[in-house]
């Protein structure tokens, strides 16, 4: 946006105006008095660490929770959002990180869910499919309207959710970490849609941990820290370093913390390893080494990791553990060898959300805690308390449910349950998705500590800066194949990205 | 969910369970107090002993059921297993087997049924609801075929005497609840397998990726349930002195109701041993009291239904926090 148009939008009446809006949960002030205006047709990014108050702000804006005090003006008139229906009625909608649609219905049925096209009380399925397809084509999404939603990739489902939100007279659309599960192409389609909505005068609130997206899309950016509003900047008057400093009060160099450790002996190697979703993978990982696996989602990296961990055993090829050929047929074998996996999805694979933190942390080690007929409760408590202390997991108690924690703290549990377990090879699959900058830095420092202890690490990420900065050896995956192997900074980030996309 | 971590009170499962159990005990005590005042027959030794005997069967069933529900499963077959078990033990006694052998054999039949459920769920991939529904109807059929629909009388005096006798003033049948509940409590709260059961019910994939043998735990849960049901079959045959495949009709629903009243979540990963026990005796007290008050037995069913709705509703409200 040019300076002139920006000036003109700023002088216009805000579409939504917050004055001293505050949210308290009991004695805790999750969102301290906040005064902020959103202009028609602007893309307004909101950044901050986990726990900064972004989620609370979204909930207040979408009517999920009621503000404790303060006033909100919608186009100059005071509004009170009692419930989500109120927000939707005036034109406020949100697209969440996790898709909340019906996987068993068609794409068209999902787009028209709650607003079906009827004739004489019966569904007009053909017409809905035609219209849904027109909408999808119009906004440039390459998705068929007549297939089951569940048959699409997570990224495509996310796009359908976006399409759904954008066609309902929405004037104010909130995106919460929309690209966490998108491939680069899908993200581009999404960005195209966002620019188009903006051109139509829709206000976009964009919440993301990925700074480059904020700079690519936003007109203005607001920073929250610990429930406080820190400030708003025009995007062309700020930079990455300033935003990060505002968010965390520490400098950027401290984040990608890389420990220089001399490599020891080989821990694991694979030769032509092939299984469902990947083929002919050759790699070696040594003590003190971080091996990075980069590729788009669906490139076969996670499938490869799961086969090393015995979840989906490989079908051919060879795995060597400390130089000796070995078959890893199940998870137990992998764990007993000394392999640990922090899986891709915290929610689906990593955590028992409705169980206590203590149980989650101890789950892999209960074998060693069983003393004859009963459990060593003291040991169980000590291990949990130790991990909570060592990893600085923010929780009132080890008995709190894992679901009550923020994303960053949940990720610490996913990782923490494998520490002090004697593992020699750690596989981290997307270790920092949805994790705030502060926790990210802590996780990277933890990698360093593990390396110094002589462990080997495999890091899988769709976020290039992460593996690019951390990995000693970087393997690039595309469509289940290994398409490149490079040492640290041997190629530029652009070259790696091009390799992964296949252009 | 940044706000939750700081705002929610420590959701302590242990404290919560304790609190909920105390509330249930309070309800039970209140029921007893009201019935003691309203009738002069309730607070008599005979009636209390009778109530304990009535409640014991469902209490044992509900413990087994709870193990299954904690894994996010369901066992609809337990009523049928009870009936089938009475047929097995009665036939064995009729054929002249010694009592101890007949009991062990009956429990082994229960174990086999549990293994079959595990096989259906783990190996054949059938939903627990379906495989146990299938055994519910088939076991009744097999039992009826074996007996040609007739009732087998048990002539063994010792068995009947055992069901009538008391120890330390408490009916033997109630002691059998303790015999089942004590090891069940140890297993669920004080062993790694107990922790694994909760983990499997909460998120089987996370459990598997933490090295838990999920299949084994499923077998364990359904075996506990089926053996408990077979044990109830033994107790019932002792109490009534007959073996008949149609006995225990609808008991699976009473066991599930007791378990749910006792705070077990049908979504899995939430449950205890003490809760369902209290739940079972709350139901038994209501039925007993309704009989004493001459309330139409049809009403008892309605009251039970309303009670389930009320208790579970309040439990869920409190779980949500506010």
């Amino acid at each position: 946006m040019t300076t002139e148009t920006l000036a003109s939008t700023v002088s216009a009446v805000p579409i939504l105006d917050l004055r001293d809006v505050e949210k308290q949960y009991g004695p805790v002030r999750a969102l301290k008095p906040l005064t902020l205006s959103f202009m028609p047709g602007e893309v307004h990014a909101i950044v901050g660490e986990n726990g900064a108050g972004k989620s609370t702000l979204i909930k207040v804006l979408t009517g999920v929770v009621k503000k404790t005090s303060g006033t909100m003006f919608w186009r100059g008139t005071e509004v009170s959002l009692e419930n989500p229906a109120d927000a939707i009625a005036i034109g406020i909608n949100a697209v969440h990180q996790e898709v909340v649609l019906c996987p068993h219905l068609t794409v068209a049925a999902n787009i028209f869910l709650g607003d079906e096209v009827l004739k004489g009380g019966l569904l007009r399925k053909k017409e809905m499919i035609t219209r849904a397809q027109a909408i999808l084509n119009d906004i440039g999404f390459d998705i068929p309207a007549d297939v089951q939603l569940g048959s699409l990739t997570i990224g495509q489902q996310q796009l359908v959710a976006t399409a759904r939100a954008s066609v309902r007279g929405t004037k104010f659309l909130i995106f919460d970490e929309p690209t966490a599960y998108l491939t680069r192409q899908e993200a581009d389609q999404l960005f195209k849609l966002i620019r188009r909505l903006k051109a139509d005068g829709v206000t976009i609130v964009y919440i993301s941990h990925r700074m480059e997206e904020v700079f690519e899309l936003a007109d203005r950016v607001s920073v929250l820290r610990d429930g406080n509003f820190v400030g708003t900047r025009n995007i062309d008057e700020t930079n990455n370093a300033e935003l990060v400093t505002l968010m965390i009060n520490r400098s950027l160099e401290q984040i990608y913390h890389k420990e220089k450790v001399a490599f020891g002996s080989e821990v694991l190697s694979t030769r032509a390893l092939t299984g469902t979703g990947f083929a002919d993978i050759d790699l070696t990982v040594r003590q003190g080494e971080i091996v990075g696996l980069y590729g788009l989602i669906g490139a076969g990296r996670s499938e490869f990791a799961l086969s090393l961990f015995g979840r989906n055993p490989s079908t051919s090829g060879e795995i060597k553990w400390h130089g000796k050929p070995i078959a890893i047929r199940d998870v137990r074998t992998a764990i007993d060898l000394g392999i640990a996996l922090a899986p891709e999805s915290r929610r689906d694979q990593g955590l028992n959300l409705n169980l206590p933190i203590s149980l989650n942390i101890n789950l892999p080690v209960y074998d060693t805690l069983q003393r004859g007929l009963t459990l060593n409760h003291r040991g169980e408590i000590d291990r949990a308390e130790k991990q909570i202390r060592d990893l600085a997991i923010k929780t009132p108690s080890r008995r709190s449910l894992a679901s009550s924690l923020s994303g960053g703290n949940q990720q610490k549990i996913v990782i923490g349950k494998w520490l002090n377990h004697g593992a020699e090879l750690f596989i981290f699959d997307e270790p920092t998705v949805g994790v705030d900058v502060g926790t990210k830095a802590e996780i990277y420092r933890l990698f360093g500590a593990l390396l110094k202890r002589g462990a080997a690490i495999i890091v899988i990420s769709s976020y290039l800066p992460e593996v690019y900065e951390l990995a000693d050896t970087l393997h690039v995956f595309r469509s289940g194949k290994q398409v490149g192997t490079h040492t640290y900074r041997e190629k530029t980030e652009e070259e790696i990205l091009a390799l992964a996309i296949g252009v | 969910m940044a706000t939750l971590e700081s705002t929610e009170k420590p959701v302590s499962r242990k404290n919560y369970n304790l609190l909920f159990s105390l509330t249930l005990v309070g309800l039970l005590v209140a029921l007893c107090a009201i019935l003691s005042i309203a009738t002069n027959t309730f607070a008599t030794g005979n009636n209390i002993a009778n109530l304990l005997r009535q409640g014991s069967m469902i209490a044992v069933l509900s413990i087994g059921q709870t193990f299954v529900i904690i894994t996010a499963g369901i066992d609809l077959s337990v009523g049928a297993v009870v009936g089938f078990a009475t047929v097995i033990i009665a036939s064995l006694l009729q054929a002249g087997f010694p009592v101890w052998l007949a009991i062990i054999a009956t429990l082994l039949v229960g174990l086999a049924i549990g293994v079959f459920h595990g096989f259906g769920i783990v190996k054949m991939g059938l939903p627990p609801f379906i495989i146990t529904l299938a055994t519910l109807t088939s076991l009744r059929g097999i039992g009826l075929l074996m007996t040609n629909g007739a009732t087998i009388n048990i002539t063994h005096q010792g068995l009947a005497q055992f069901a009538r006798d008391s120890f330390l003033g408490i009916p033997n049948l109630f002691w059998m609840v303790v015999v089942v509940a004590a090891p069940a409590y140890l297993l669920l709260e004080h062993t790694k397998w107990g922790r694994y059961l909760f983990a499997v019910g909460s998120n089987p994939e996370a459990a598997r990726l933490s090295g838990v043998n999920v299949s084994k735990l499923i077998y364990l849960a359904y075996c506990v349930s089926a053996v408990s049901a077979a044990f109830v079959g033994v107790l019932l045959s002792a109490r009534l002195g007959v073996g008949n495949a149609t006995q225990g009709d609808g008991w699976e629903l009473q066991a599930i109701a007791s378990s749910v009243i006792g705070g077990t979540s049908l979504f899995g990963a939430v449950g205890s041993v003490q809760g369902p026990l209290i739940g079972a005796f709350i139901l038994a007290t209501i039925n007993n009291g309704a009989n004493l008050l001459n309330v139409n037995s049809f009403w008892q069913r309605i009251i039970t239904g309303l009670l389930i709705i009320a208790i579970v509703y309040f439990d869920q409200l409190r779980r949500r926090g506010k």
Side-chain angles (χ1 to χ4, degrees):
Chain A
M1 187 179 269
T2 65
T3 331
E4 295 93 303
T5 54
L6 186 69
S8 68
T9 48
V10 168
S11 63
V13 179
I15 185 159
L16 185 66
D17 206 1
L18 310 180
R19 295 203 194 139
D20 293 322
V21 167
E22 183 176 12
K23 177 64 199 177
Q24 297 190 5
Y25 293 97
V28 179
R29 302 167 79 189
L31 193 60
K32 291 165 197 164
L34 167 81
T35 297
L36 187 57
S37 299
F38 298 95
M39 295 299 159
E42 79 164 332
V43 177
H44 196 129
I46 304 220
V47 297
E49 295 188 74
N50 284 347
K54 293 173 308 198
S55 311
T56 310
L57 179 61
I58 299 177
K59 284 184 191 161
V60 170
L61 292 180
T62 51
V64 175
V65 299
K66 274 182 68 180
K67 62 185 185 319
T68 313
S69 63
T71 42
M72 287 166 76
F73 297 90
W74 177 257
R75 293 173 159 169
T77 336
E78 185 173 348
V79 286
S80 156
L81 303 177
E82 301 289 327
N83 53 51
D86 284 354
I88 292 168
I90 61 173
I92 297 179
N93 247 307
V95 178
H96 296 282
Q97 189 176 341
E98 317 260 331
V99 181
V100 275
L101 292 177
C102 310
H104 295 97
L105 300 180
T106 61
V107 170
N110 272 290
I111 289 179
F112 285 101
L113 196 64
D115 191 23
E116 283 80 2
V117 182
L118 300 175
K119 190 176 183 188
L122 298 176
L123 290 174
R124 305 267 297 152
K125 288 194 180 174
K126 271 200 181 135
E127 192 185 334
M128 283 196 280
I129 287 173
T130 318
R131 279 168 57 178
Q133 192 66 61
I135 291 167
L136 290 169
N137 293 345
D138 183 44
I139 58 184
F141 288 177
D142 181 20
I143 295 170
D146 56 348
V147 301
Q148 265 197 9
L149 184 75
S151 67
L152 302 177
T153 67
I154 299 292
Q156 289 173 318
Q157 295 185 27
Q158 184 90 49
L159 293 180
V160 172
T162 316
R164 178 183 145 81
S166 66
V167 294
R168 327 200 123 203
T170 299
K171 294 279 170 283
F172 191 98
L173 188 52
I174 303 165
F175 288 92
D176 183 9
E177 293 277 346
T179 55
Y181 298 106
L182 296 194
T183 64
R184 184 64 216 182
Q185 294 99 312
E186 288 164 350
D188 282 338
Q189 293 187 29
L190 178 71
F191 294 169
K192 220 185 274 172
L193 174 67
I194 288 177
R195 292 202 180 92
R196 188 187 152 122
L197 289 168
K198 171 184 148 78
D200 292 345
V202 177
T203 303
I204 309 285
V205 173
Y206 194 86
I207 289 161
S208 180
H209 285 121
R210 298 187 177 172
M211 283 300 159
E212 67 277 13
E213 293 176 1
V214 169
F215 282 94
E216 189 172 341
L217 285 172
D219 301 311
R220 295 197 296 161
V221 52
S222 293
V223 182
L224 296 179
R225 185 173 71 223
D226 298 330
N228 286 304
F229 172 66
V230 183
T232 301
R233 298 280 185 278
N234 284 332
I235 204 73
D236 38 18
E237 290 163 12
T238 185
N239 56 49
N240 203 350
E242 185 195 18
L243 288 183
V244 171
T245 312
L246 287 177
M247 277 159 61
I248 59 174
N249 254 344
R250 64 185 165 267
S251 73
L252 193 57
E253 289 75 60
Q254 287 170 273
I255 294 172
Y256 288 109
H257 172 92
K258 188 168 159 65
E259 204 75 41
K260 277 278 160 242
V261 181
F263 299 155
S265 61
E266 173 188 313
V267 175
L268 176 135
S269 66
T270 68
R271 182 172 293 275
L273 200 70
T274 301
T276 314
F278 63 93
D280 293 325
I281 309 297
D282 297 316
L283 63 74
T284 302
V285 52
R286 291 162 287 185
Q287 290 175 334
E289 181 180 28
I290 295 185
V291 168
L293 306 187
Y294 175 70
L296 307 176
I297 285 174
R301 303 156 307 163
S302 301
E303 290 78 0
F304 171 70
L306 284 172
S307 87
L308 288 186
F309 199 56
R311 180 64 184 91
N312 302 316
S314 50
T315 49
S316 71
E318 188 182 50
I319 303 175
K320 281 186 177 168
W321 181 254
H322 289 295
K324 291 193 198 82
I326 185 121
I328 302 177
R329 285 193 200 85
D330 52 36
V331 175
R332 197 72 247 174
T333 312
I335 293 174
D336 291 345
L337 277 177
I339 302 177
L341 170 72
E344 183 179 13
S345 167
R346 284 197 285 279
R347 182 175 295 265
D348 298 335
Q349 303 169 301
L351 288 175
N352 295 92
L353 281 171
N354 58 351
L355 290 176
I357 292 169
S358 165
L359 195 151
N360 275 284
I361 288 177
N362 284 301
L363 196 51
V365 296
Y366 275 119
D367 265 336
T368 62
L369 288 171
Q370 183 78 19
R371 295 264 180 281
L373 275 180
T374 59
L375 206 58
N376 171 7
H377 287 279
R378 193 68 250 165
E380 185 186 22
I381 293 167
D382 289 346
R383 295 189 90 109
E385 293 291 352
K386 179 172 161 42
Q387 289 307 340
I388 290 171
R389 213 172 37 243
D390 287 358
L391 296 175
I393 296 170
K394 279 186 209 144
T395 172
S397 160
R398 64 169 191 283
R399 298 201 197 96
S400 297
L401 305 186
S403 57
S404 70
L405 301 180
S406 68
N409 283 304
Q410 288 184 350
Q411 187 66 23
K412 287 181 184 176
I413 298 179
V414 173
I415 292 173
K417 67 197 227 182
W418 294 109
L419 303 176
N420 305 320
H421 180 258
E424 296 174 68
L425 171 64
F426 290 85
I427 306 174
F428 296 101
D429 195 349
E430 303 284 4
T432 60
V433 165
V435 167
D436 60 272
V437 189
T439 307
K440 247 186 202 181
E442 287 175 48
I443 290 174
Y444 297 150
R445 268 197 297 278
L446 181 71
F447 289 0
L450 291 173
L451 293 178
K452 276 197 240 166
R453 265 168 34 185
I457 294 180
I458 295 177
V459 175
I460 299 173
S461 185
S462 311
Y463 186 57
L464 184 52
E466 177 167 273
V467 269
Y468 190 78
E469 292 299 331
L470 289 175
D472 298 298
T473 309
L474 182 57
H475 299 274
V476 183
F477 279 56
R478 185 175 73 227
S479 312
K481 301 250 162 47
Q482 192 178 11
V483 291
T485 296
H486 308 288
T487 54
Y488 180 62
R489 296 214 164 155
E490 184 190 343
K491 299 261 177 169
T492 64
E493 289 193 59
E494 288 74 19
E495 287 170 311
I496 302 282
L497 185 62
L499 201 54
I501 297 174
V503 288
Chain B
M1 303 309 289
T3 52
L4 285 182
E5 68 180 298
S6 44
T7 55
E8 269 188 8
K9 287 258 154 54
V11 192
S12 144
R13 213 166 52 107
K14 250 189 192 132
N15 293 345
Y16 179 83
N17 276 346
L18 187 68
L19 210 65
F20 185 74
S21 301
L22 285 179
T23 318
L24 285 179
V25 170
L27 181 63
L28 186 55
V29 170
L31 273 174
C32 292
I34 293 168
L35 288 171
S36 305
I37 296 164
T39 72
N40 47 20
T41 40
F42 180 79
T44 59
N46 253 347
N47 184 56
I48 297 294
N50 193 28
L51 191 159
L52 289 179
R53 287 196 192 95
Q54 278 176 358
S56 298
M57 312 266 178
I58 300 296
V60 172
L61 282 186
S62 71
I63 294 171
Q65 186 71 247
T66 301
F67 273 70
V68 167
I69 298 180
I70 284 174
T71 67
I74 194 88
D75 189 346
L76 295 178
S77 74
V78 291
V81 174
V82 170
F84 188 64
T86 65
V87 170
I88 298 292
I89 189 165
S91 311
L92 289 173
L93 290 175
Q94 197 180 39
F97 285 93
V99 174
W100 64 269
L101 190 58
I103 292 175
I104 289 175
T106 308
L107 295 181
L108 284 178
V109 169
L111 186 68
I113 294 168
V115 169
F116 177 70
H117 288 156
F119 178 84
I121 294 162
V122 171
K123 297 286 179 204
M124 298 170 74
L126 296 174
F129 188 97
I130 298 299
I131 181 81
T132 58
L133 180 67
T135 9
L136 182 161
T137 157
S138 320
L139 280 180
R140 297 249 186 242
I142 297 171
L144 288 169
L145 270 182
M146 284 170 63
T147 57
N148 228 343
T151 296
I152 308 172
N153 286 311
I154 297 173
T155 49
H156 193 280
Q157 278 313 304
L159 206 55
Q161 192 60 43
F162 175 83
R164 279 196 298 272
D165 278 353
S166 293
F167 177 66
L168 300 177
I170 292 170
N172 282 345
L173 284 182
F174 185 79
W175 284 113
M176 293 302 104
V177 177
V178 179
V179 164
V180 175
Y185 177 78
L186 274 182
L187 178 58
L188 198 60
E189 300 291 342
H190 294 281
T191 69
K192 61 173 181 177
W193 299 287
R195 298 288 194 272
Y196 290 166
L197 283 169
F198 284 101
V200 168
S202 165
N203 184 347
E205 184 60 18
R208 192 173 282 122
L209 288 177
S210 299
V212 174
N213 189 332
V214 175
S215 307
K216 226 188 243 174
L217 267 297
I218 298 282
Y219 276 104
L220 173 71
Y222 285 87
C223 285
V224 168
S225 179
V227 172
S228 300
F231 185 60
V232 171
V234 172
L235 300 182
L236 184 65
S237 66
R239 183 151 189 242
L240 301 183
V242 293
N244 186 317
T246 59
Q247 291 183 101
D249 188 27
W251 283 18
E252 60 280 346
L253 297 182
Q254 289 194 50
I256 294 167
S258 302
S259 187
V260 168
I261 288 174
T264 313
S265 162
L266 286 174
F267 296 109
V270 178
S272 66
V273 169
Q274 67 276 17
L277 284 187
I278 305 167
F281 284 101
I282 286 177
L283 287 185
T285 307
I286 288 175
N287 288 342
N288 178 277
N291 284 336
L292 296 181
L293 291 168
N294 273 328
V295 177
N296 187 328
S297 74
F298 303 152
W299 272 106
Q300 294 177 22
R301 291 170 179 246
I302 299 173
I303 293 169
T304 307
L306 293 176
L307 187 76
I308 293 172
I309 294 174
I311 290 184
V312 176
Y313 177 69
F314 284 118
D315 184 29
Q316 293 205 341
L317 276 191
R318 285 177 27 167
R319 267 176 214 287
R320 276 185 226 133
K322 301 274 147 41

